[in-house]
Amino acid sequence: MKLIKTEDAVGQVLCHDITQIIPGVVKDAVFRKGHIVTPEDIPVLLSVGKEHLYVWEKKEGILHEDEAAELLRDICINSGMKASQPKEGKIEILADTDGLLKIRSDRLRALNSMGELMIATVHGNFPVRKGDKIAATRIIPLVIEQEKMDRACALAGKEPLLEILPFLPMRAGIVTTGSEVFKGRIKDAFGPVVRAKLAEYGIEVIGQKIVDDGRENIIQALLEFLEQGAQMLVCTGGMSVDPDDCTPGAIRELGAQIESYGAPVLPGAMFLLGYYAYDGRTVPVMGLPGCVMYAKRTIFDLVLPRIAAGEHVTGEDLWNYGEGGLCLGCKECRFPNCGFGK
């Protein structure tokens, strides 16, 4: 940095904050470190007693923090997003649509390991809504070498680091099994809960069939929904290991390819996920354990947004939920702004 007269500072980059003090009114930085001085700034700087300033000299091959932040923004941003203006080398990225956030985690780690630059994001594989803050970028020093930013851009590759997958218009059928519900001994408590969760992602419920115990009853109901064009099948009831609980066996007998029966998540350990090929489409089939009826958030809340965005969730995806898969059942639920599923 160098010391120059304030009148000669137009176009230069400040090396420190400039504080304005008006007794009883304000004490704050009127200009921040990294600010590029404009002609209009000169009278203000002189009015706060700054006749000389420490500034950085603009050199070939050296980028100001705001210039470098814009490059990091371009590495991250994708369609369905918008960014703030750079401020002190920082840019925030917000969702401009609803969808499932995907992050290229390996490249994110590689970029952050370079030093002198950083990209912070919220967790991927979770739903975001329009207006949500999803990432922020910053250059740590005031200036950075162009060559280093060129390396960062090359390391990032051509595809943006972030992506929002929109939720797809889908039609779902719900099959509820259990003699106690079928025969009217108790009222179905699954249906309203499942309908509400599907509605969060704009999924249309084309119907709910309540059937008696027995694999053949479940299979028949599933096939009827498939014939009606269902793109998602949700089975409730009959998911335990009791002799009369036939749902997992019915889904297998239907011919679905099972990704996993069981998940390292509580609530939700008895969850089943499979896929069934029917009439040219691959239909996800889920067996929901009883906890979905009464627990605020479960495995269903982790998997549903991914399926709603058109992802094929695998057994490995489910097994990866083990770390972070324990819901603490907080008195005030703040999901997804908590550790569950992360």
Side-chain angles (χ1 to χ4, degrees), residues 142-267:
L142 183 62
V143 294
I144 193 169
E145 295 86 354
Q146 173 76 59
E147 182 271 335
K148 185 160 194 173
M149 292 308 303
D150 290 343
R151 283 192 286 120
C153 292
L155 181 61
K158 294 181 179 180
E159 295 295 323
L161 204 65
L162 309 177
E163 184 179 11
I164 296 177
L165 302 179
F167 299 126
L168 304 177
M170 299 183 75
R171 305 172 76 228
I174 304 172
V175 177
T176 297
T177 186
S179 61
E180 70 279 17
V181 180
F182 179 74
K183 296 176 180 178
R185 297 189 182 108
I186 66 170
K187 185 178 179 180
D188 169 51
F190 257 120
V193 174
V194 174
R195 287 173 182 270
K197 290 184 182 293
L198 294 175
E200 290 183 35
Y201 303 102
I203 298 170
E204 176 191 355
V205 176
I206 60 177
Q208 179 180 7
K209 298 181 184 293
I210 298 177
V211 301
D212 201 357
D213 292 324
R215 294 183 184 182
E216 66 282 356
N217 298 322
I218 299 169
I219 293 170
Q220 180 62 34
L222 292 173
L223 288 172
E224 288 174 4
F225 277 134
L226 289 167
E227 290 171 1
Q228 295 173 40
Q231 298 153 303
M232 176 190 299
L233 297 172
V234 181
C235 298
T236 68
M239 286 298 298
S240 78
V241 294
D242 293 343
D244 291 333
D245 285 343
C246 303
T247 301
I251 295 173
R252 291 182 188 276
E253 197 170 312
L254 174 71
Q257 178 68 42
I258 306 299
E259 287 289 349
S260 181
Y261 176 28
V265 175
L266 288 173

Side-chain angles (χ1 to χ4, degrees), residues 114-153:
M114 292 182 65
E116 295 190 311
L117 57 87
M118 55 77 63
I119 301 169
T121 75
V122 299
H123 278 277
N125 288 329
F126 277 83
V128 294
R129 302 295 179 181
K130 183 175 181 178
D132 287 353
K133 187 188 300 183
I134 57 176
T137 72
R138 185 162 195 162
I139 297 301
I140 298 188
L142 183 62
V143 294
I144 193 169
E145 295 86 354
Q146 173 76 59
E147 182 271 335
K148 185 160 194 173
M149 292 308 303
D150 290 343
R151 283 192 286 120
C153 292

Side-chain angles (χ1 to χ4, degrees), residues 102-114 119 121 155-157 159-162:
K102 302 294 292 183
I103 299 171
R104 293 174 173 84
S105 302
D106 54 344
R107 286 196 280 158
L108 175 63
R109 287 190 293 269
L111 285 162
N112 281 326
S113 72
M114 292 182 65
I119 301 169
T121 75
L155 181 61
E159 295 295 323
L161 204 65
L162 309 177

